[in-house]
Amino acid sequence: VVNCMITACATVYNEKFMKGNGDSIHFQNLQLYTFGLIFGAIAVGNVYGTQVFDFRAVTAGYNSTVMILVLNYALVGMATSAVVKYLDNMTKTFAANAAMFAVAIISVLFYNEPATIHLFIGMAVAAVSVETYNRHKQLCVCATLPPTLVPA
């Protein structure tokens, strides 16, 4: 419950931060990633201690796959920032749901992952939440239209 509360507060603050001023998205990303860099440096310092200054010790085991993943996460972070700045957190959540559907289907079809009841329940809950949100949004739009413009 505490984790959900912290995540919800951080999400609201992040959206307020991204939309609250006229700064460019690149400058806002720089500000947000500075906090991540500070907290990441503290975590790495706790794990590696004085070895943190030895670049080879910190990056031991890194290969091209890890570097591609780091680049991927950087690009996903920039895309997420653009979604939050120009759209809203609900759009970001629905995009994450769509990714969950895609990964689940690909995993079952191509990687022989078992299709468990938990997977289907999770997908059903996500689908119902998207439908409920969009239906409510559509009802709100229809309620504000003159009766002659309401779709049948």
Side-chain angles (χ1 to χ4, degrees):
V1 173
V2 173
N3 189 24
C4 289
M5 298 278 295
I6 291 171
T7 302
C9 290
T11 302
V12 169
Y13 172 77
N14 189 28
E15 187 168 3
K16 172 76 171 131
F17 176 77
M18 293 297 286
K19 293 181 180 179
N21 56 33
D23 293 339
S24 76
I25 191 168
H26 304 297
F27 181 66
Q28 288 177 332
N29 278 339
L30 179 70
Q31 290 174 320
L32 288 172
Y33 288 127
T34 300
F35 285 108
L37 182 65
I38 291 169
F39 290 113
I42 291 170
V44 168
N46 279 339
V47 171
Y48 290 100
T50 58
Q51 287 182 333
V52 75
F53 299 109
D54 183 10
F55 185 72
R56 288 173 290 155
V58 175
T59 59
Y62 281 33
N63 56 23
S64 59
T65 304
V66 173
M67 298 312 266
I68 289 170
L69 285 172
V70 168
L71 177 64
N72 179 51
Y73 281 119
L75 295 174
V76 166
M78 292 184 345
T80 302
S81 295
V83 168
V84 171
K85 183 165 181 76
Y86 300 114
L87 299 171
D88 61 5
N89 275 312
M90 291 307 294
T91 305
K92 180 179 74 89
T93 302
F94 292 149
N97 279 343
M100 179 190 70
F101 281 115
V103 168
I105 292 168
I106 289 170
S107 295
V108 169
L109 293 177
F110 297 112
Y111 296 109
N112 297 324
E113 289 289 325
T116 64
I117 189 69
H118 300 101
L119 174 66
F120 289 116
I121 290 172
M123 291 174 72
V125 168
V128 167
S129 68
V130 170
E131 175 61 26
T132 303
Y133 178 78
N134 286 326
R135 181 174 294 173
H136 172 68
K137 218 166 140 181
Q138 188 177 33
L139 289 174
C140 290
V141 170
C142 289
T144 61
L145 291 175
T148 56
L149 298 177
V150 174

